[in-house]
Amino acid sequence: MLDTVPPERLLTRADLCARWAGLALGVAVAQALATMDSDDMSMPFVAAVTAFGLCAVGGVLLGDSLTPAPQDPVRTAGLAPRRVRDHVPPRMAPLLVVQAGCVAVLLAIGAAMADADSAGRAGRALAVTCSLGPTRLLGPWPGLYYAPLILVSLTLGTAACVWSLRRIAHRPGENQQRHDRSWAITAAWGLLVSSQLLLVLGMIGRVLFYSRCAGMLGNITALVIYPLGLLSLFTLGWCLFTIVVPRAVDDE
């Protein structure tokens, strides 16, 4: 008699395959975008990072949609309402929210300080004037030239993940299953946030590196963005690991 695979195992494999497929598609699309011809060398890289994060989110959401709600017998419900925050990672979720806020703040500051580059493209460079020296235009700078693509991707990814988290929190099923899927969706959103934050920090860090007269303000900025970059790398690794394993890691 042939062994049969239980339906639950098949659904788990489909969910995991969807997550991996999203990451693989993101890598393929990012590679295609990064190598496309453009008069701006930075925009293809920005588009590649954005596409990778959105594909990762799409893969996790697809995997969740492949798993239908269990048809459990009717049971008596408790009085405590189900909340999204009870199922997301208690430490990583607030950290990712802070990082998303940092992206918005840095883009706002970048837009306020940005200037047009030598080709006349507004919001792409930063004008730096040293004492007894000419004004130099350094870029790429996270101004209005790059901000719309980053903000639109974060808005779309956030809306999709919040809707999915609310759906998971209120649908029937075991609490452990809701917990695991909420962690995976949070990790997918965090992958998008962390990659975009690293992108913005990389732009600022590059300008600081090539600016020889940043002064005290530049030193203070470096003390902020470099630790924030290391933190983003850590959360990026956590998010990738949480996505590629069938069950979310424990954060307790």
Side-chain angles (χ1 to χ4, degrees), residues 1-6:
M1 182 176 179
L2 297 177
D3 294 335
T4 59
V5 181

Side-chain angles (χ1 to χ4, degrees), residues 156-230:
L156 293 176
T158 301
C161 290
V162 169
W163 174 82
S164 185
L165 287 173
R166 289 178 59 86
R167 184 174 67 92
I168 291 174
H170 295 94
R171 74 184 181 187
E174 297 181 356
N175 188 65
Q176 184 62 44
Q177 185 184 51
R178 287 193 295 269
H179 173 89
D180 296 339
R181 299 198 176 279
S182 297
W183 278 53
I185 293 173
T186 303
W189 179 73
L191 181 63
L192 178 63
V193 171
S194 299
S195 61
Q196 297 288 22
L197 181 56
L198 282 172
L199 181 65
V200 174
L201 293 174
M203 292 182 181
I204 298 176
R206 184 179 186 278
V207 170
L208 288 178
F209 178 79
Y210 285 102
S211 176
R212 304 302 182 185
C213 55
M216 182 60 66
L217 181 60
N219 294 332
I220 295 176
T221 305
L223 290 176
V224 173
I225 66 170
Y226 293 145
L228 190 58
L230 292 176

Side-chain angles (χ1 to χ4, degrees), residues 232-248:
S232 300
L233 285 174
F234 167 75
T235 56
L236 184 67
W238 180 89
C239 292
L240 281 172
F241 180 77
T242 305
I243 291 173
V244 300
V245 296
R247 182 180 296 268

Side-chain angles (χ1 to χ4, degrees), residues 123-144:
R124 187 182 177 276
L126 179 67
V128 177
T129 304
C130 298
S131 58
L132 302 178
T135 299
R136 295 190 302 162
L137 295 174
L138 300 178
W141 178 258
L144 290 178

Side-chain angles (χ1 to χ4, degrees), residues 70-122:
Q71 303 298 324
D72 293 335
V74 178
R75 294 176 295 182
T76 303
L79 297 178
R82 294 177 183 172
R83 299 175 299 180
V84 172
R85 63 182 181 182
D86 294 333
H87 302 288
V88 298
R91 295 187 181 91
M92 295 301 297
L95 185 58
L96 294 173
V97 171
V98 170
Q99 291 185 2
C102 290
V103 173
V105 170
L106 291 175
L107 288 177
I109 295 175
M113 299 176 60
D115 299 282
D117 61 2
S118 57
R121 293 170 293 195

